Amino acid sequence: MAYVVTESCIRCKYTDCVDVCPVDCFREGPNFLAIDPDECIDCTLCVAECPVEAIFAEDDVPADQQAFIALNAELSKSWPPIIERKPAPPDADEWAEVKDKRGHLAR
């Protein structure tokens, strides 16, 4: 079972989770992070580090976020690894509370 980044990450893209990942399974897109399910070792370390609570165990992904399971798998195949924490986008805090952000996902 892998972990999954969900909608809350869109346009926030805090990278606190990247620092604690022992296997570098995070992939970076323009305004979202994805987890490569083939690399994730289910260690749970990233979950507590996410300030917007965007990361869930695959079995615990909320019903309205299930599409992100396949989306993480798809995007992680084409996006490059991110292995070091980076500053969040300047408007990340403004986007942190926004709901229904799927239309803002940049591929």
Side-chain angles (χ1 to χ4, degrees):
M1 173 180 65
Y3 279 74
V4 177
V5 181
T6 60
E7 185 173 29
S8 297
C9 182
I10 298 171
R11 298 215 48 175
C12 289
K13 201 171 92 169
Y14 295 103
T15 57
D16 306 53
C17 52
V18 172
D19 267 349
V20 299
C21 182
V23 295
D24 300 331
C25 69
F26 283 90
R27 304 295 182 258
E28 182 181 24
N31 67 357
F32 182 71
L33 298 176
I35 293 175
D36 183 335
D38 296 329
E39 297 290 326
C40 180
I41 60 169
D42 311 323
C43 70
T44 76
L45 294 174
C46 59
V47 176
E49 295 301 315
C50 182
V52 294
E53 300 177 355
I55 304 172
F56 294 87
E58 188 174 340
D59 290 345
D60 297 331
V61 173
D64 66 336
Q65 302 287 302
Q66 289 287 309
F68 282 88
I69 296 171
L71 191 60
N72 274 245
E74 173 195 336
L75 297 174
S76 68
K77 300 305 178 218
S78 59
W79 286 352
I82 176 172
I83 58 173
E84 292 181 341
R85 185 178 181 176
K86 295 180 178 181
D91 60 349
D93 290 339
E94 296 168 33
W95 282 96
E97 299 300 320
V98 174
K99 305 293 182 202
D100 300 320
K101 299 190 283 186
R102 284 184 213 198
H104 295 280
L105 176 63
R107 292 174 175 247

